[in-house]
Amino acid sequence: MTTHVHTGEPRLDLRTAAPKAAKALYAADQAVLTSPLDPTIRELVKLRTSQINHCVHCIDLHSHDALEKGESLDRIIQLSAWRESALFTAAERAALEYTEAATTLTPHGVSDEIWAGVRDLMTDEELGALVVQVALMNAFNRFGVPLRMPARPRD
């Protein structure tokens, strides 16, 4: 197995190489910030998507963002095992279940059971924002991983 340690600079700066596309993606991400999707759920799905996709840059970024927004360290630590944890609400669990299904798409997509789980707990606007957030996070991860974007250095 080849290991790629992400240090230094990324392979390519998308903001410079594809400025219009990068700007559009960041604008879509900003739109989700103003949506009715619960901010805690938004941060949890960003982090969980990044964990699944092994994007060190985004795992680092969204872990620290979540901590700065008041998320507990215990919940961040237990996020990768959220099914076994007692720390997550029903709405968070449904959103995380959807996140995992939409991130690791099988030939059958997201099951009716998983969809019903989020459908029962969210309004159309919240659910729409969740769908967009997970899709955007997967897109960001698919830039971060191949470009070998490193975690931001911290003190």
Side-chain angles (χ1 to χ4, degrees):
M1 181 170 93
T2 304
T3 302
H4 300 285
V5 178
H6 304 323
T7 60
E9 296 298 315
R11 289 174 161 168
L12 180 72
D13 179 355
L14 276 184
R15 291 178 197 241
T16 304
K20 289 180 183 178
K23 184 178 179 180
L25 284 166
Y26 288 108
D29 195 52
Q30 288 298 308
V32 177
L33 287 176
T34 62
S35 76
L37 183 63
D38 179 88
T40 300
I41 290 175
R42 186 177 63 239
E43 294 305 315
L44 290 173
V45 301
K46 285 180 180 183
L47 181 52
R48 186 65 190 126
T49 303
S50 300
Q51 289 173 337
I52 294 165
N53 290 326
H54 306 282
C55 184
V56 69
H57 174 81
C58 292
I59 291 168
D60 178 76
L61 175 68
H62 297 296
S63 294
H64 286 277
D65 282 353
L67 286 168
E68 289 171 11
K69 292 175 181 173
E71 185 58 78
S72 77
L73 182 58
D74 286 340
R75 282 169 40 100
I76 291 173
I77 291 169
Q78 293 181 27
L79 183 59
S80 65
W82 62 268
R83 285 179 181 85
E84 291 78 26
S85 173
L87 300 181
F88 298 93
T89 68
E92 291 165 347
R93 288 174 177 283
L96 291 167
E97 187 79 45
Y98 171 81
T99 298
E100 290 185 2
T103 298
T104 59
L105 286 174
T106 68
H108 305 290
V110 175
S111 72
D112 290 340
E113 179 183 20
I114 291 170
W115 184 258
V118 287
R119 176 95 239 43
D120 290 344
L121 297 170
M122 294 185 178
T123 66
D124 284 353
E125 292 80 15
E126 291 167 325
L127 189 50
L130 176 67
V131 169
V132 171
Q133 185 64 80
V134 172
L136 280 170
M137 203 64 240
N138 275 289
F140 287 129
N141 291 164
R142 279 154 179 78
F143 300 136
V145 173
L147 297 181
R148 295 188 183 164
M149 292 176 64
R152 188 175 78 192
R154 296 192 183 353
D155 297 335

